[in-house]
Amino acid sequence: MMATKIAYGAVGKPPLVLVHGGAGDIPDSGVRNKLDGVRRAAVEGHRVMERTGCVLEAVVAAVTVMEDLEGFNAGRGSVLTLDEKVEMEAQIMEGGNLDAGCVTLLRNVKNPIVVARSVMEKTPHTFLGGEGAETFAKQTGAEFAGDDYFKTSAAVSALERFKAAKSKAPGVTEIGDTVGCVAVDFQGHTATATSTGGINGKYPGRIGDTPILGSGGYADDSLATVSTTGYGESIMRYNLAQRVLTGIAQGKSAQQASEESVRGMTDRVGNTAGVITLTPSGQVGVAFTSKRMAWAYVEGDTLNYGIEQGQHLTMDVAEFE
Amino acid sequence: MMATKIAYGAVGKPPLVLVHGGAGDIPDSGVRNKLDGVRRAAVEGHRVMERTGCVLEAVVAAVTVMEDLEGFNAGRGSVLTLDEKVEMEAQIMEGGNLDAGCVTLLRNVKNPIVVARSVMEKTPHTFLGGEGAETFAKQTGAEFAGDDYFKTSAAVSALERFKAAKSKAPGVTEIGDTVGCVAVDFQGHTATATSTGGINGKYPGRIGDTPILGSGGYADDSLATVSTTGYGESIMRYNLAQRVLTGIAQGKSAQQASEESVRGMTDRVGNTAGVITLTPSGQVGVAFTSKRMAWAYVEGDTLNYGIEQGQHLTMDVAEFE
């Protein structure tokens, strides 16, 4: 990992934009909705990638699509804290200069990923949280919404079920977790973006893995770009994104490094997670130890997607649109 | 790093407690004070280690000493935000189960490292920030202090100089940065603790590397325990602590991995940093790209310490006490 020379990927290979819609114990009734959302996000990310040629634009576009949909645990569909608030987090990173922007404990902002990008581009800092982050978001003209926008009936009833179950540990709910996107362009430049509402019934002030560079995501043009999802405490303690990069550095394929890393996390610190990975040369990795994780990407005219273990479905992009 | 079997260190080797007092452009006038503080912290950490046999007790004791001293940028001596507030951060991690506790945006708490430990031991979470973290700290009986305790004349004048200089980027001041401690016991169990006031003139809500697992510190009994200090944004973007662990995993010595990692960070993303590293078998690593970083540890009856590049001084522990 002590790269002294950055070896970029296969110049000229078509760009890729790979998204996930959260690892978790997604019930059968949620499958259709999740698949529809990740396909929509992948198609939009790919479209923006083709139009702008910019990996940052692509990952922000894809994540924004999912933040705006009620069915994902990020932005609008975020789960609630124990005191019934929405506290959101996000990170964005680009793999050339390792520039990054992260936000946490953000309330009432419609698109946390946009604020994360502003932190990267408009402040001397990498990570802002809480009131300071909100003040900054207002200064940059970020769009805000009232509590009624965020308190969806799904989030409210999920918290009610959590409280009724008297579970000791806040958990990833059937809503699923965290959305994310990784992208690579013609030149092998990489970026990653991840956004979440955290875990259902979390303590006020709880920070998860999503805004943590090396845990919730990481992008390095010399190795790979990664976005993770799942039980944040375990992901953070294991530095899941960095484990994938270490595997890549050891010569493993994107798929092998992704599989071994999520299994290694579950074995060492417990709970489940998922990762999506792209290398600068266009290798794709998709792996999760949870029951389900929706994912999708466009290659040529084909939309690739899946949500079950080992599943890889395809359809014409034109058919989806 | 995908350890399937944890290979513990040299059983029976005496425990080690290694501390740092922050990497930075420490002026000549600050050298004596810093050296006195880190030696005091190392001696206290070592004493607690011998009495309790517990690496967590040892790292908390050593960091608490420095949080209580005005001359370090952590706890009492923390630097100020642009709006003249103290917002502190800390992390603690133990290398067996990878259990960890992190806090950020914490105001008026005397010893953030104690709150970080409570997060680890008393919540289902790993990381708490802001008001939620303060509410939790109150519930656990953490000691609080008024603004007058924290607003030291050194911190106030440092912010005044920063504002007068009209610097574009908040910076590590002559106060120095972040305090930290790593420890290993007879059985090769490891722990790390790090605490900071952040960087002078930072935006309200700015979060640095200190509470970020894999950046501000990391402990893994299969590899090493690390605490970092320096320019937080660069440390976070580079995942500095994990780079040291990767070096160790590649067979490098603690010293070599530490040196290469800080140099690698400065080369790739700019700014300076320092690290202290201990392996389960008792290898010591101390490296920094800043002008100075005070460090100290006790071995047998000897107190080892230094603050300049390449400096390694010794004295009898009895002589210091």
Side-chain angles (χ1 to χ4, degrees):
Chain A
M1 307 257 293
M2 298 294 305
T4 48
K5 176 168 161 281
I6 310 299
Y8 289 115
V11 175
K13 203 171 185 294
L16 279 172
V17 181
L18 170 61
V19 309
H20 71 72
D25 195 16
I26 301 156
D28 295 351
S29 61
V31 167
R32 190 191 168 115
N33 203 23
K34 292 278 182 201
L35 276 182
D36 188 67
V38 292
R39 289 182 301 192
R40 189 186 302 251
V43 168
E44 177 63 13
H46 189 75
R47 189 184 287 144
V48 170
M49 183 76 227
E50 289 198 315
R51 199 178 64 226
T52 66
C54 173
V55 283
L56 281 175
E57 296 290 347
V59 295
V60 169
V63 166
T64 299
V65 166
M66 293 184 283
E67 283 179 338
D68 289 343
L69 290 169
E70 271 194 47
F72 292 96
N73 178 14
R76 175 152 206 198
S78 294
V79 295
L80 304 177
T81 63
L82 263 184
D83 61 354
E84 298 175 25
K85 296 284 195 297
V86 167
E87 295 184 346
M88 296 167 288
E89 322 186 274
Q91 77 156 280
I92 189 166
M93 184 170 192
E94 63 84 23
N97 296 324
L98 307 183
D99 279 337
C102 312
V103 288
T104 188
L105 305 178
L106 204 54
R107 293 183 179 177
N108 297 97
V109 167
K110 279 182 94 169
N111 295 107
I113 196 63
V114 173
V115 183
R117 186 179 181 176
S118 295
V119 169
M120 174 171 69
E121 296 179 341
K122 297 174 184 171
T123 81
H125 298 309
T126 302
F127 195 174
L128 291 182
E131 284 172 34
E134 267 168 52
T135 303
F136 169 74
K138 278 176 194 150
Q139 287 164 354
T140 59
E143 206 176 341
F144 280 69
D147 288 349
D148 54 329
Y149 173 84
F150 292 99
K151 272 191 147 181
T152 65
S153 59
V156 170
S157 62
L159 184 64
E160 279 166 6
R161 281 194 298 279
F162 169 75
K163 286 182 173 174
K166 293 197 176 75
S167 164
K168 279 175 192 162
V172 176
T173 67
E174 67 273 26
I175 290 180
D177 194 49
T178 307
V179 302
C181 179
V182 289
V184 58
D185 72 9
F186 279 102
Q187 280 78 41
H189 294 303
T190 63
T192 181
T194 309
S195 181
T196 194
I199 55 178
N200 189 33
K202 64 185 179 180
Y203 285 28
R206 178 264 191 185
I207 299 172
D209 65 300
T210 297
I212 309 300
L213 302 176
S215 293
Y218 202 81
D220 184 341
D221 285 358
S222 68
L223 291 168
T225 175
V226 179
S227 172
T228 76
T229 163
Y231 202 83
E233 280 70 10
S234 294
I235 293 173
M236 206 187 314
R237 287 163 53 204
Y238 196 65
N239 278 183
L240 182 57
Q242 270 296 344
R243 304 278 177 162
V244 179
L245 293 173
T246 301
I248 304 275
Q250 291 167 343
K252 290 169 187 161
S253 70
Q255 184 58 29
Q256 192 187 359
S258 301
E259 285 176 13
E260 290 184 4
S261 298
V262 287
R263 273 207 309 267
M265 187 208 88
T266 297
D267 290 349
R268 180 90 189 260
V269 293
N271 296 303
T272 62
V275 303
I276 55 171
T277 306
L278 283 178
T279 64
S281 65
Q283 284 181 24
V284 173
V286 174
F288 48 102
T289 47
S290 53
K291 183 180 172 193
R292 288 176 167 136
M293 179 184 81
W295 58 271
Y297 66 94
V298 175
E299 197 164 36
D301 297 326
T302 307
L303 181 54
N304 301 265
Y305 62 98
I307 189 165
E308 311 289 346
Q309 290 285 352
Q311 185 184 41
H312 188 137
L313 306 170
T314 58
M315 66 188 286
D316 280 356
V317 176
E319 193 185 331
F320 176 76
E321 298 175 295
Chain B
M1 307 258 292
M2 298 293 306
T4 50
K5 176 169 160 282
I6 310 300
Y8 288 115
V11 175
K13 201 168 186 299
L16 278 173
V17 182
L18 169 62
V19 309
H20 71 72
D25 195 15
I26 300 156
D28 295 350
S29 61
V31 168
R32 190 192 170 116
N33 203 23
K34 291 278 181 201
L35 275 182
D36 188 68
V38 292
R39 290 183 301 191
R40 190 187 301 249
V43 168
E44 177 62 14
H46 188 75
R47 189 184 285 145
V48 169
M49 184 76 229
E50 289 200 314
R51 199 177 64 225
T52 65
C54 173
V55 284
L56 282 174
E57 297 288 349
V59 295
V60 169
V63 166
T64 300
V65 166
M66 293 184 283
E67 283 180 338
D68 290 343
L69 291 169
E70 271 194 46
F72 292 97
N73 177 14
R76 175 151 207 199
S78 294
V79 294
L80 304 177
T81 64
L82 263 185
D83 62 355
E84 299 176 26
K85 296 284 194 298
V86 166
E87 294 184 347
M88 296 168 288
E89 322 186 274
Q91 78 155 279
I92 189 165
M93 183 170 194
E94 63 86 21
N97 296 324
L98 307 184
D99 280 337
C102 312
V103 288
T104 188
L105 305 178
L106 204 55
R107 293 184 179 177
N108 297 98
V109 167
K110 280 182 93 170
N111 294 109
I113 196 64
V114 172
V115 183
R117 185 178 181 176
S118 295
V119 170
M120 174 172 68
E121 295 179 342
K122 298 174 184 170
T123 81
H125 297 309
T126 301
F127 195 174
L128 292 182
E131 283 173 34
E134 266 168 51
T135 302
F136 169 74
K138 278 176 192 147
Q139 288 164 352
T140 59
E143 207 177 340
F144 280 69
D147 288 348
D148 53 329
Y149 174 83
F150 292 98
K151 271 192 148 180
T152 65
S153 58
V156 170
S157 61
L159 184 63
E160 279 167 5
R161 280 194 298 279
F162 169 75
K163 285 181 172 175
K166 292 196 177 74
S167 164
K168 278 174 193 163
V172 176
T173 66
E174 67 272 28
I175 290 179
D177 194 49
T178 308
V179 304
C181 179
V182 288
V184 59
D185 72 9
F186 278 103
Q187 280 77 41
H189 294 305
T190 63
T192 181
T194 309
S195 181
T196 193
I199 56 176
N200 190 33
K202 64 185 178 181
Y203 285 28
R206 178 264 189 183
I207 299 172
D209 65 299
T210 297
I212 308 301
L213 302 176
S215 293
Y218 202 80
D220 184 340
D221 286 359
S222 68
L223 291 169
T225 175
V226 178
S227 172
T228 76
T229 163
Y231 202 83
E233 279 70 10
S234 293
I235 293 172
M236 206 187 313
R237 287 164 53 205
Y238 197 65
N239 278 182
L240 182 58
Q242 270 296 344
R243 303 280 176 161
V244 179
L245 294 173
T246 301
I248 303 274
Q250 291 167 344
K252 290 169 187 160
S253 70
Q255 183 59 30
Q256 192 188 357
S258 301
E259 285 175 12
E260 290 184 4
S261 298
V262 287
R263 274 207 309 267
M265 186 206 90
T266 297
D267 290 349
R268 181 90 190 260
V269 293
N271 296 303
T272 63
V275 303
I276 55 172
T277 305
L278 283 177
T279 65
S281 65
Q283 284 182 22
V284 173
V286 173
F288 48 102
T289 46
S290 53
K291 183 180 172 193
R292 288 176 168 136
M293 179 184 82
W295 59 271
Y297 67 93
V298 175
E299 196 164 36
D301 297 327
T302 306
L303 181 53
N304 300 264
Y305 62 97
I307 190 165
E308 312 289 346
Q309 290 286 352
Q311 185 185 40
H312 188 138
L313 305 169
T314 58
M315 65 189 287
D316 279 356
V317 176
E319 193 187 331
F320 176 75
E321 297 176 295

